[in-house]
Amino acid sequence: MRVLVTGGAGFIGSHVVDVLITAGRVPVVLDTEPRGHHHPDVPWYQGDVRDPEAVERALAGVDAVCHQAAMVGLGNGFSDAVEYVSRNDLGTAVLLEAMARLDIRRLVLAGSMVVYGEGRYTCPEHGTVRPGPRAPQALDAGRFEPPCPRCGRDLEPGLVGEDAPLDPRNVYATTKLAQEHLAAAWARAEGARAISLRYHNVYGERMPRDTPYAGVASFFRSALERGEAPRVFEDGAQRRDFVHVTDVAAANLAALDALETRPRGTLRAYNTGSGDPHTVGEMATALADAFGGPAPRLTGEYRLGDVRHITASSSRLREELGWRPRVGFAEGMTRFAADPLRPAEPVRSPR
């Protein structure tokens, strides 16, 4: 099987290329980066996923696509909204249009847990509830937990499933949901098969260094490398699901295999997380301990687009695709403390 990996030079994409080679598949890369130190035998196309000619060249002879190319992270408020929409949604539309024209009908999409907004919450009186966005006044006062929208009582966070209501709460999240809608529309129109892997907090080797578009794990690791204490926002009690990048790459391979038997005309979403939630403060402490650096510092700061708790139930991925995470939290933090990071990359404007 010949598989195009868009964004194949990036953090997750490069690991997808690795796992495809190990599995005996033939990866092809489309990325804005030149080949550089990457696999010398992998067919490599330097170009932007928004460029129809570059996309069509890269798709020649391809059987399936792993679409990893995207602008990620919360970014800089609304000031980079056009860039997010261009890279993520226009890029996906250009890719899918070319796939339709060339009769390529298998897609694995790099989705994201951000499409859910806040995670799953239970009120002791009202059962499962959906809290709205947190108010700036409450955040300024250090009240970080979302209250029950009906009675105002404290809520118990739980694991979110794929059938939870979708509620993107920032620009990046909105573009990731739009990517899924575009892929679903393409699958219906073309009788194609698509899977969206809704990544939770991915970390590991080759994460980009400190940048507004990197994940919290990268911020903490970069700080430790500078000899600084990781700065933990809010009170550090935000719950997340940290999943190692090698496990995410393995999920892409499992999804490619599953496309062979999926019904035509459908998109199926799968949470891709470890199933072992930890708080951001716990992660910062474990990483600092493994690195041998200064202890994390709670700042009380917040970002308005952030959600409080979002943790995955990945039971669908386990049961339907037979995927299992291999790297536990303690091992992953130990490895990540020693992993080299990638240089931060400048944001490029559309051509």
Side-chain angles (χ1 to χ4, degrees), residues 82-150:
V82 171
E83 190 74 7
Y84 271 112
V85 172
S86 175
R87 285 169 171 256
N88 296 354
D89 299 338
L90 175 60
T92 299
V94 170
L95 174 68
L96 294 174
E97 184 179 64
M99 290 175 68
R101 188 166 57 252
L102 297 173
D103 198 28
I104 300 167
R105 299 187 180 185
R106 285 176 285 186
L107 173 72
V108 177
L109 174 68
S112 175
M113 56 85 179
V114 294
V115 299
Y116 298 114
E118 287 286 351
R120 184 179 186 274
Y121 291 87
T122 303
C123 171
E125 181 176 350
H126 297 106
T128 300
V129 295
R130 294 179 59 202
R134 296 182 293 170
Q137 297 88 340
L139 295 169
D140 288 336
R143 298 194 302 273
F144 301 119
E145 294 289 344
C148 175
R150 299 178 63 181

Side-chain angles (χ1 to χ4, degrees), residues 233-252:
F233 280 17
E234 301 185 18
D235 59 359
Q238 311 94 299
R239 285 161 55 92
R240 296 292 188 269
D241 187 314
F242 299 100
V243 58
H244 198 268
V245 66
T246 57
D247 287 328
V248 169
N252 275 267

Side-chain angles (χ1 to χ4, degrees), residues 157-204:
L159 301 182
V160 64
E162 290 86 352
D163 295 327
L166 304 180
D167 185 19
R169 295 189 177 180
N170 56 57
V171 173
Y172 169 61
T174 302
T175 65
K176 295 306 290 184
L177 181 55
Q179 283 186 308
E180 285 197 4
H181 287 321
L182 285 166
W186 162 81
R188 286 193 298 271
E190 300 299 319
R193 301 179 172 110
I195 285 175
S196 177
L197 297 174
R198 291 176 179 165
Y199 300 158
H200 281 245
N201 289 72
V202 187
Y203 71 97

Side-chain angles (χ1 to χ4, degrees), residues 3-307:
V3 182
L4 175 63
V5 183
T6 68
F11 168 42
I12 298 175
S14 64
H15 285 275
V16 173
V17 171
D18 290 346
V19 79
L20 288 172
I21 292 172
T22 300
R25 312 300 164 81
V26 181
V28 178
V29 169
L30 173 65
D31 201 289
T32 55
E33 281 193 20
R35 182 190 299 274
H37 64 278
H38 301 281
H39 298 284
D41 298 328
V42 170
W44 197 281
Y45 296 88
Q46 186 179 1
D48 196 304
V49 75
R50 296 165 290 186
D51 179 350
E53 293 183 2
V55 169
E56 189 150 342
R57 286 196 299 271
L59 284 171
V62 159
D63 302 298
V65 175
C66 282
H67 184 31
Q68 308 294 318
M71 184 175 177
V72 301
L74 190 55
N76 293 307
F78 211 79
S79 63
D80 40 20
V82 171
E83 190 74 7
Y84 271 112
V85 172
S86 175
R87 285 169 171 256
N88 296 354
D89 299 338
L90 175 60
T92 299
V94 170
L95 174 68
L96 294 174
E97 184 179 64
M99 290 175 68
R101 188 166 57 252
L102 297 173
D103 198 28
I104 300 167
R105 299 187 180 185
R106 285 176 285 186
L107 173 72
V108 177
L109 174 68
S112 175
M113 56 85 179
V114 294
V115 299
Y116 298 114
E118 287 286 351
R120 184 179 186 274
Y121 291 87
T122 303
C123 171
E125 181 176 350
H126 297 106
T128 300
V129 295
R130 294 179 59 202
R134 296 182 293 170
Q137 297 88 340
L139 295 169
D140 288 336
R143 298 194 302 273
F144 301 119
E145 294 289 344
C148 175
R150 299 178 63 181
C151 67
R153 296 176 67 177
D154 291 341
L155 300 173
E156 180 66 27
L159 301 182
V160 64
E162 290 86 352
D163 295 327
L166 304 180
D167 185 19
R169 295 189 177 180
N170 56 57
V171 173
Y172 169 61
T174 302
T175 65
K176 295 306 290 184
L177 181 55
Q179 283 186 308
E180 285 197 4
H181 287 321
L182 285 166
W186 162 81
R188 286 193 298 271
E190 300 299 319
R193 301 179 172 110
I195 285 175
S196 177
L197 297 174
R198 291 176 179 165
Y199 300 158
H200 281 245
N201 289 72
V202 187
Y203 71 97
E205 184 180 0
R206 304 176 204 156
M207 280 198 87
R209 291 184 182 276
D210 237 341
T211 150
Y213 308 97
V216 65
S218 172
F219 279 112
F220 294 165
R221 176 69 171 72
S222 298
L224 289 165
E225 202 165 87
R226 296 192 301 269
E228 301 171 2
R231 297 171 64 251
V232 180
F233 280 17
E234 301 185 18
D235 59 359
Q238 311 94 299
R239 285 161 55 92
R240 296 292 188 269
D241 187 314
F242 299 100
V243 58
H244 198 268
V245 66
T246 57
D247 287 328
V248 169
N252 275 267
L253 182 62
L256 278 171
D257 291 341
L259 285 174
E260 301 290 338
T261 57
R262 288 290 307 154
R264 291 187 179 275
T266 61
L267 179 143
R268 182 76 162 161
Y270 293 92
N271 286 335
T272 307
S274 70
D276 181 24
H278 290 269
T279 68
V280 172
E282 288 170 345
M283 188 274 281
T285 298
L287 186 59
D289 288 347
F291 190 87
R297 180 169 63 87
L298 297 177
T299 70
E301 297 171 86
Y302 66 86
R303 298 192 302 177
L304 194 59
D306 275 339
V307 297

